Amino acid sequence: DVDLRDDLTIATQPPDSILVIVSAKGKQLVQSSWRERGLRINISKLPTGHHTLYLTPENIQLYAPFKNVVLEEVISPVQWEIEIDPKITVELPVSPTIIASPDDGFAVSSRVQATPAKAKLTGPRSIIKTLSFLLTEPKELNGLRNSITVPAALAVPAGMSMKVEPETVMVRIDVVPVK
């Protein structure tokens, strides 16, 4: 977990894992569930921009501190190249990525449309400002003989801390017989 101010977000992935040395009195290391809860990286005082964060017991804590279990040292990685960005929310048009193949004697009569036609995307400004629309997850529909409305999940753009709302749209495909 990463502690950060609410108006900021990270544009780079935190380390997948962090190797640390902990100490405890008695059988606390064996008896408590301190490992299951993980670690918390505190970067709440850092401003926007690029930072080289040296990982130390001062900025990494046990997620839920346990009595008598102490984080002594960070072994690996010793630093994290981090990009902190303002968090923004924008509304972008939705572009369905559905391949609709009608059956013989039928045709798709109009452009495939999503409802709602726009979705909100929240995340790092540096990533969001490069986007002009949101795609749905690809879907292929074959042998269509009737108009159909199907749910389609929105594809969340790559990047840390991205959130899309709604997560799913309804996509309408109008099919008509060909004379």
Side-chain angles (χ1 to χ4, degrees):
D1 195 19
V2 178
D3 283 343
L4 187 61
R5 289 187 356 224
D6 287 340
D7 63 326
L8 299 176
T9 188
I10 52 176
T12 50
Q13 289 278 13
D16 288 332
S17 64
I18 300 174
L19 182 62
V20 297
I21 295 176
V22 295
S23 65
K25 296 186 182 198
K27 297 180 182 180
Q28 290 295 315
L29 286 178
V30 179
Q31 293 175 342
S32 65
S33 59
W34 64 271
R35 279 187 201 192
E36 296 167 14
R37 301 208 179 141
L39 300 170
R40 174 181 284 149
I41 303 171
N42 186 345
I43 56 172
S44 60
K45 293 189 179 9
L46 292 178
T48 60
H50 180 82
H51 303 275
T52 299
L53 180 68
Y54 293 94
L55 302 175
T56 68
E58 287 74 42
N59 56 28
I60 296 182
Q61 296 86 33
L62 297 174
Y63 192 78
F66 283 87
K67 185 177 176 183
N68 299 325
V69 178
V70 178
L71 190 142
E72 297 285 346
E73 185 180 349
V74 177
I75 302 297
S76 174
V78 293
Q79 69 184 39
W80 172 28
E81 296 296 324
I82 181 172
E83 196 70 41
I84 299 177
D85 226 0
K87 184 189 301 183
I88 64 169
T89 299
V90 296
E91 194 170 65
L92 294 171
V94 174
S95 180
T97 50
I98 294 184
I99 298 170
S101 300
D103 206 358
D104 289 341
F106 295 87
V108 174
S109 69
S110 63
R111 209 181 79 167
V112 176
Q113 298 176 14
T115 304
K118 292 185 175 186
K120 289 182 182 178
L121 179 65
T122 301
R125 181 178 63 195
S126 63
I127 296 172
I128 290 180
K129 72 180 182 180
T130 66
L131 304 172
S132 55
F133 56 89
L134 291 170
L135 297 173
T136 62
E137 294 290 344
K139 190 178 269 193
E140 192 171 328
L141 302 170
N142 296 311
L144 298 176
R145 294 173 156 256
N146 298 307
S147 296
I148 187 172
T149 300
V150 295
L154 289 172
V156 179
M160 265 311 288
S161 310
M162 296 292 238
K163 180 182 172 195
V164 67
E165 194 176 322
E167 294 176 352
T168 303
V169 295
M170 298 305 290
V171 177
R172 171 104 180 138
I173 302 160
D174 292 322
V175 177
V176 294
V178 177
K179 296 182 182 187

